Amino acid sequence: MPALLVEVGVEDLPAREAAEIAQSFKENMLSALKEARLPYREVHLFWTLRRFSLLVEDLAEQQEETIEEIRGPAVSVGLDPQGNLTPAAHGFLRRYGASAEDLVRRVVGEKEYLFLRLKRPGRPTEEILKELIPQAVRLIPCSKYMRWNGGMPFLRPIRWVVALFGEKVVPLELAGVSAGRRSFGHRFLGHPLTFSRPEEYVAKLKEAHVIVDPKERAETLRRAIRAVEEEYQAKAALSEDLWAMILGQTEWPNPVVGRIPQEFLALPEPVVVAALREEGKFVPFTRGGRIAEIFLGFAEGKGNPEIIRQGYERVVGIRLGDAMDFFAQDRRRMLESRVPELKGIVYEARLGTVWDRVQRIRTICGVLARELSLPSELLDRAALLGKADLLTVMVREFPELEGVMGGIYARLDGERAEVAEAIAEHVRPRGKGEELPETPLGIALSLADKLDGVIGPICVGELPTGSHDPYGVRRRGTAAIRIILEKGLRLDLFRVIEEVRREYPGAEPAETVKEFLWNRLRAALEERGISYDIAEAVLSQMDGDFLGVWERAQALQTLVGRKDLVDLATAFSRVRNITRGHAIEGFDPDLFQEEAERKLWQAYLEAKKRVEEAMAEHCPAKALEALLSLKAPIDRYFDDVLVMCEDPKLRENRLGFLLALSRLFLQVADLSRLVVPG
C-alpha cells in the first residue's frame, strides 16, 4: 500500500508553538483517517519553524466496506400470513433501491422487524484526502490568526503545500496554495527540492540542510550540550521553556561556545541565567552552585565560528550589562519600602489591587500556619514581602524572576533566611514539570498564593471552561493539589476555603471552589496512575483531606486483582443498592431476630473499631483489611434475612443498620463503584 506525505510550509512559526501546531495537525489527521475508515500501519510527525508534516505508511487505497442495517416495518406488517412481502415491505425496499434478498429479520424488544442489510463500498482514498487534509489544517487551534489574500485564517501565512499519495499528487488547495511535490530546504543553505514519493522526504530535506525530525534535531542539540558539560565540567541550566525555544527555532543547528566577561559573574546566578535565556538561543551553565564562565549558542546553519562567537558574546555582554544596572538600581531601596506601592497596581478590576491580593494571601497564610503548625509571624512576613519585587526593575525586565529576586533582595536586606527562602519559592511551580518549594514556609506561602489564584477568580464568576481560562485557574488548582499530595500536607482544605471565603468579593459560594478543586483532584489521581473506578470509589464522598484521599486510593490500588476485594465489592454493592434512597439514622440491636443479623452486628462492631483506629493513624490499608473481614457475614445476612419485610418497624431497623454499615465503608471508599469481573 502507498504512503501519504503531507507537508505544510509556512512563514516562521513562534518557537514555543511550533510543536503544538504540528501535534494538533497529527491528531486531527489521525482522527479524520479513523472516521473515514482508512487504516494505516505507522505515522511519523515532522516539524521545524517553517513546516509541519506527516508521513503515513501503508495507507489503504480505499475505504473499508461497511455493512449498514436499516430497520423497516415490523414482520407483522411487512409479511402476510403466507410469508410474502406486503406493499409496506415493497415500499421500504424501493426507498433504498434494494431487493428482497437484502432483508433479514431481527427481534428488537418484544417485536420482530424486517431489517435491510446494505453493503456500502468505500470511496477511493485520494478522493477523501482532498477533503480531509484541508479540514485537518483548519481545525488547528492557534493563539492568534492571520488572514492573507482573502484565504483561510491561520497562525502564519501558508507558502507551499506538498501532498503525495504514493507517487501521485493529491489535487487539493490550502489557503489559495495548490498542493504539489515541491518543497524548500534551509533558508540560507538549502535549495528548492522535489519529491517523487513520500519515502524520500527526510533524506532529501537533510541534503538541503534541514533536520526535519524533531527527535533527531533534539538529539543533535543534546549531544552539543553534553559535550560542553563534559569539557568544562559544568551543568546546563536548561529550562523547559528555553529547550522549546531552541528546538523550535533551528533547522540545522550549529553549536558555538562563548564566554561571559568576569565582571558579570558576580551577578546572582538566576539573573545571568534569565538574561541568557531571554535571547532564546543561549544555554547558560552552572558549576558548584554558581554561574559558569561559558554559554552555548546555536547558530542557524554554517558560518565563520569566530565571527559568530564574537557576535554572541557582544549580545550577551550588552544584556548582562543592562542586568547589572538593573540590580544596582534595585539595591538603592529596601524591599519593604516597595510594599505600599502595590496599592497602585491593579490585579483584577473586581479583585482589587496587588495590595488587596497580598492581604488575602496573608489571611490564608494565617489559617495555614495554624493548620500546619508553622511560625505565623515569619510566614506573615514572607507573605507581606512576597509580591514587592513586582515593582523592581529586574522583575519588570525579566518577569520569570518574580519571587526569585524578592528572595535575593530580602536576604541582602537582612531578613531572616526562612523568610527570604519562602519568598523565593512561593511562585513555584509555575508549570507542570517545575520543582516544588522545599522549605516549610515556602510550601505554605506557595499554597496560599495558588489558592488565592483559584478562589478569587471563581468567586467573581471566572470558573474555567474547556477553552476559556484567562486567569490560569486550572493551572493554579493543579499546582495547589500537587503541593498537598507531593509534600504530604495534612489539612482540611475545604475548611480553609470556608474560613477565607469572606475575604473575597463576588457571589459564587465556597462550594463552587470546592467542587472545582475536587474535580482537579480526580484528574490528579488519574495522572498518577489511579484507575478510573478506584478514583470514583475514593471520591464518592467529598472530603477536604486531599492527602487522605490520595492515600486511600493508593491503598485500594494495591488490592486490585485480589479475589477477596472483588467479593467484598460485590457484597457491599448489595448493601448500597438496598439502602439507596433511604435516610434512616440509628437502629436498635435488640430488634434483631435472625442469627445472621446478630453475627453481622458483632462483626460490624469489631471492624468499626479497627477502621476508626486505622483512619486516625492515617493507615487506610489497615482499614481496608478490617473491611475485608465483613464479606462473609454480609453474604450470610442477605441469604438469611429479608430486609424489606412487611413489618415496618423491623424493616426500618434493618435499613438503619445497613446504612450504618454503609457509612463505615464510605469512610474508606465506595466499593460498589469498583469494576469487578462478571
Side-chain angles (χ1 to χ4, degrees):
M1 289 187 288
L4 169 69
L5 170 65
V6 182
E7 181 190 61
V8 180
V10 294
E11 291 191 7
D12 292 15
L13 293 167
R16 292 182 179 89
E17 294 184 56
E20 295 174 8
I21 292 287
Q23 185 62 33
S24 178
F25 176 61
K26 175 185 175 181
E27 291 170 1
N28 294 344
M29 282 289 294
L30 296 191
S31 175
L33 290 173
K34 181 179 179 181
E35 188 176 339
R37 306 188 311 281
L38 291 172
Y40 52 85
R41 182 166 65 86
E42 197 169 351
V43 173
H44 304 278
L45 176 66
F46 306 112
W47 61 270
T48 71
L49 75 164
R50 299 178 66 216
R51 73 198 76 225
F52 54 92
S53 50
L54 206 64
L55 179 64
V56 184
E57 294 183 14
D58 293 342
L59 181 62
E61 297 182 67
Q62 188 166 322
Q63 279 182 315
E64 294 174 332
E65 183 182 76
T66 60
I67 297 177
E68 184 180 3
E69 288 193 350
I70 304 169
R71 191 166 82 175
V75 169
S76 59
V77 176
L79 299 178
D80 63 18
Q82 288 74 42
N84 299 314
L85 297 180
T86 66
H90 283 296
F92 175 57
L93 292 173
R94 281 197 302 274
R95 191 183 317 150
Y96 293 97
S99 63
E101 290 75 28
D102 299 318
L103 287 174
V104 293
R105 295 164 71 153
R106 295 269 187 275
V107 175
V108 179
E110 298 180 356
K111 294 185 71 173
E112 190 176 20
Y113 291 86
L114 293 176
F115 277 79
L116 196 54
R117 190 177 173 85
L118 299 177
K119 290 184 179 180
R120 303 288 193 192
R123 295 166 60 199
T125 297
E126 185 179 333
E127 183 181 313
I128 296 168
L129 290 174
K130 288 192 295 185
E131 307 162 1
L132 185 151
I133 293 170
Q135 183 67 2
V137 176
R138 287 190 197 98
L139 290 176
I140 296 174
C142 302
S143 57
K144 294 180 180 179
Y145 288 91
M146 297 177 64
R147 191 183 292 271
W148 63 102
N149 299 331
M152 62 170 275
F154 194 63
L155 183 62
R156 291 290 186 268
I158 293 172
R159 295 309 187 200
W160 76 87
V161 179
V162 175
L164 289 180
F165 184 45
E167 297 182 358
K168 294 181 180 179
V169 173
V170 180
L172 62 88
E173 188 177 279
L174 196 59
V177 179
S178 297
R181 55 178 77 246
R182 191 165 185 259
S183 181
F184 295 86
H186 191 277
R187 179 183 282 110
F188 306 120
L189 307 173
H191 50 77
L193 59 156
T194 301
F195 304 116
S196 301
R197 51 195 179 85
E199 291 81 1
E200 301 174 340
Y201 183 66
V202 174
K204 279 202 167 185
L205 273 173
K206 191 172 288 187
E207 291 172 7
H209 294 91
V210 174
I211 303 175
V212 73
D213 186 344
K215 294 177 183 176
E216 183 182 352
R217 203 162 63 251
E219 185 52 37
T220 301
L221 296 170
R222 289 193 185 98
R223 278 199 304 271
I225 292 169
R226 284 196 297 267
V228 173
E229 287 180 326
E230 291 170 8
E231 181 178 351
Y232 293 93
Q233 294 298 297
K235 180 69 177 173
L238 193 62
S239 67
E240 287 185 16
D241 189 56
L242 178 58
W243 175 252
M245 288 283 289
I246 293 172
L247 183 62
Q249 66 183 6
T250 57
E251 287 193 320
W252 193 257
N254 179 26
V256 176
V257 177
R259 288 190 169 268
I260 298 172
Q262 187 67 35
E263 64 266 27
F264 298 132
L265 298 180
L267 282 168
E269 179 237 335
V271 173
V272 179
V273 169
L276 290 176
R277 283 176 179 170
E278 190 191 39
E279 293 297 321
K281 57 186 174 186
F282 299 137
V283 180
F285 292 81
T286 60
R287 187 189 300 116
R290 298 177 61 84
I291 196 73
E293 72 282 1
I294 43 94
F295 66 88
L296 177 63
F298 289 95
E300 182 61 1
K302 296 179 180 178
N304 186 319
E306 184 60 23
I307 293 175
I308 294 173
R309 181 187 62 77
Q310 290 175 5
Y312 282 176
E313 288 179 349
R314 190 179 306 113
V315 170
V316 167
I318 292 171
R319 202 66 183 115
L320 289 178
D322 291 341
M324 185 166 277
D325 289 342
F326 302 152
F327 189 74
Q329 288 181 53
D330 289 341
R331 289 299 299 137
R332 292 177 191 145
R333 293 179 59 185
M334 300 278 282
L335 190 64
E336 186 177 11
S337 70
R338 302 179 188 275
V339 173
E341 296 172 21
L342 295 173
K343 296 176 182 177
I345 304 176
V346 176
Y347 170 60
E348 201 275 344
R350 293 161 292 181
L351 293 170
T353 64
V354 176
W355 166 266
D356 297 321
R357 184 170 189 233
V358 166
Q359 303 315 305
R360 292 193 296 266
I361 291 173
R362 292 175 72 185
T363 300
I364 298 173
C365 282
V367 178
L368 293 179
R370 183 192 69 220
E371 295 287 321
L372 301 173
S373 301
L374 296 172
S376 57
E377 299 85 358
L378 294 182
L379 184 55
D380 183 69
R381 181 68 177 171
L384 175 68
L385 300 177
K387 300 299 179 185
D389 67 355
L390 293 175
L391 290 158
T392 62
V393 182
M394 191 72 79
V395 173
R396 282 202 298 270
E397 289 293 323
F398 304 110
E400 68 182 88
L401 292 179
E402 178 191 350
V404 175
M405 294 313 302
I408 292 171
Y409 293 148
R411 191 174 288 109
L412 293 173
D413 286 347
E415 296 287 343
R416 292 273 293 267
E418 307 98 299
V419 171
E421 287 168 353
I423 294 170
E425 293 179 335
H426 88 277
V427 295
R428 290 161 41 187
R430 284 188 178 91
K432 193 173 182 179
E434 189 175 351
E435 293 179 355
L436 296 177
E438 293 294 333
T439 65
L441 293 186
I443 291 167
L445 184 55
S446 176
L447 179 57
D449 179 73
K450 307 303 179 289
L451 288 177
D452 177 78
V454 170
I455 300 170
I458 289 179
C459 284
V460 296
E462 293 292 343
L463 189 67
T465 64
S467 59
H468 181 79
D469 187 13
Y471 297 94
V473 176
R474 193 180 290 107
R475 172 178 53 81
R476 286 168 165 169
T478 299
I481 291 168
R482 189 180 159 207
I483 290 169
I484 292 170
L485 301 190
E486 295 182 27
K487 292 301 177 180
L489 302 188
R490 185 78 59 191
L491 78 160
D492 187 339
L493 186 60
F494 290 166
R495 187 168 64 201
V496 173
I497 292 168
E498 288 169 359
E499 197 164 336
V500 303
R501 170 62 184 91
R502 63 179 179 274
E503 303 294 325
Y504 292 84
E508 287 293 333
E511 292 303 319
T512 306
V513 181
K514 293 181 193 176
E515 288 172 10
F516 169 78
L517 289 171
W518 195 245
N519 288 328
R520 298 315 301 160
L521 177 60
R522 175 179 283 102
L525 293 181
E526 293 179 20
E527 284 176 6
R528 286 163 172 76
I530 300 300
S531 62
Y532 176 80
D533 58 330
I534 288 178
E536 289 300 308
V538 297
L539 293 167
S540 62
Q541 308 289 309
M542 287 185 70
D543 180 358
D545 180 10
F546 281 26
L547 179 62
V549 175
W550 166 233
E551 291 169 341
R552 287 187 278 127
Q554 289 177 294
L556 195 53
Q557 187 94 10
T558 61
L559 298 180
V560 169
R562 278 178 50 172
K563 185 177 183 303
D564 51 357
L565 177 65
V566 172
D567 293 341
L568 182 63
T570 303
F572 180 65
S573 295
R574 300 177 74 181
V575 176
R576 286 290 279 166
N577 290 338
I578 204 166
T579 56
R580 203 176 305 278
H582 296 279
I584 300 167
E585 292 291 336
F587 61 94
D588 184 357
D590 291 335
L591 295 178
F592 293 157
Q593 294 185 344
E594 307 292 340
E595 180 65 17
E597 290 183 279
R598 288 186 280 272
K599 288 288 186 183
L600 180 55
W601 179 50
Q602 290 298 326
Y604 161 77
L605 291 176
E606 184 179 338
K608 184 172 184 288
K609 181 182 178 184
R610 291 170 60 195
V611 167
E612 289 175 349
E613 288 175 354
M615 296 303 285
E617 295 168 2
H618 307 297
C619 187
K622 288 183 180 178
L624 280 166
E625 290 294 338
L627 292 176
L628 287 170
S629 68
L630 293 172
K631 190 268 172 188
I634 290 174
D635 284 345
R636 183 181 173 190
Y637 181 92
F638 282 105
D639 288 342
D640 297 353
V641 178
L642 179 61
V643 178
M644 308 304 285
C645 61
E646 292 184 6
D647 185 334
K649 187 174 182 181
L650 214 54
R651 182 172 65 244
E652 203 164 296
N653 192 63
R654 288 171 176 170
L655 286 170
F657 172 50
L658 291 179
L659 281 165
L661 180 64
S662 178
R663 284 190 285 270
L664 177 65
F665 273 80
L666 294 177
Q667 289 182 48
V668 185
D670 183 354
L671 300 183
S672 68
R673 302 199 180 205
L674 298 184
V675 176
V676 297

